[in-house]
Amino acid sequence: MFRRGTTQIAVPKPSLSHTYFNAYRIMWVLVFFDLPTDTAAERKAAARFRKDLMADGFTMFQFSIYMRHCSSRDNMEVHQKRVIACLPEKGHVGMLTITDAQFARMQIWYNAEEKEEKEVPQQLELF
């Protein structure tokens, strides 16, 4: 409470249920996979898995590594469940979740030269 003359002004406290975006709440999900492609059915299942990942917002980082930005841990868990739901019958699939702060410390080289960072626009929070 603040006092202005004889009038008291109540300052609302921030809601505890509201979480702000920060580098430790924002998460990244990385999916690593090695799927068999010996038969036509296995190639079809591998292609279907990749298409399902892309339909869920994942982008290819390397040939068998896809990644997705998630705004919170709850959102991350939703996308993990979606990946689990579309797993092919055969093959090896792994998932790794890291914070945005950990992701920002990644170093990337392309043709033995460190790749320049792309300028990422600031994400805004809308109420």
Side-chain angles (χ1 to χ4, degrees):
M1 295 252 195
F2 291 107
R3 292 181 188 263
R4 183 182 297 161
T6 59
T7 307
Q8 291 185 350
I9 302 172
V11 178
K13 293 182 180 179
S15 170
L16 296 178
S17 64
H18 182 74
T19 56
Y20 294 98
F21 291 112
N22 70 37
Y24 297 98
R25 292 189 192 277
I26 297 172
M27 302 296 291
W28 287 85
V29 178
L30 287 86
V31 178
F32 311 89
F33 57 90
D34 186 17
L35 303 176
T37 56
D38 296 330
T39 67
E42 290 172 341
R43 285 190 295 276
K44 186 175 181 178
R48 178 82 253 156
F49 182 65
R50 284 191 300 275
K51 287 179 183 178
D52 288 343
L53 287 176
M54 288 187 287
D56 192 30
F58 283 83
T59 56
M60 185 170 71
F61 182 69
Q62 290 185 351
F63 290 121
S64 293
I65 302 173
Y66 282 70
M67 62 184 185
R68 188 186 198 294
H69 174 269
C70 297
S71 59
S72 67
R73 290 186 186 274
D74 293 335
N75 185 252
M76 172 199 70
E77 290 170 0
V78 167
H79 292 288
Q80 284 180 316
K81 289 176 184 175
R82 288 181 186 171
V83 170
I84 292 168
C86 68
L87 287 173
E89 290 183 16
K90 296 181 180 178
H92 182 223
V93 179
M95 267 192 291
L96 173 68
T97 58
I98 58 175
T99 65
D100 194 46
Q102 292 169 323
F103 186 82
R105 290 193 298 265
M106 184 180 351
Q107 295 178 331
I108 301 172
W109 288 268
Y110 184 74
N111 292 335
E113 295 178 8
E114 192 162 5
K115 191 171 182 178
E116 289 184 27
E117 292 183 21
K118 293 181 183 177
E119 188 172 321
V120 180
Q122 180 68 30
Q123 182 173 349
L124 300 176
E125 180 178 359
L126 302 175
F127 298 93

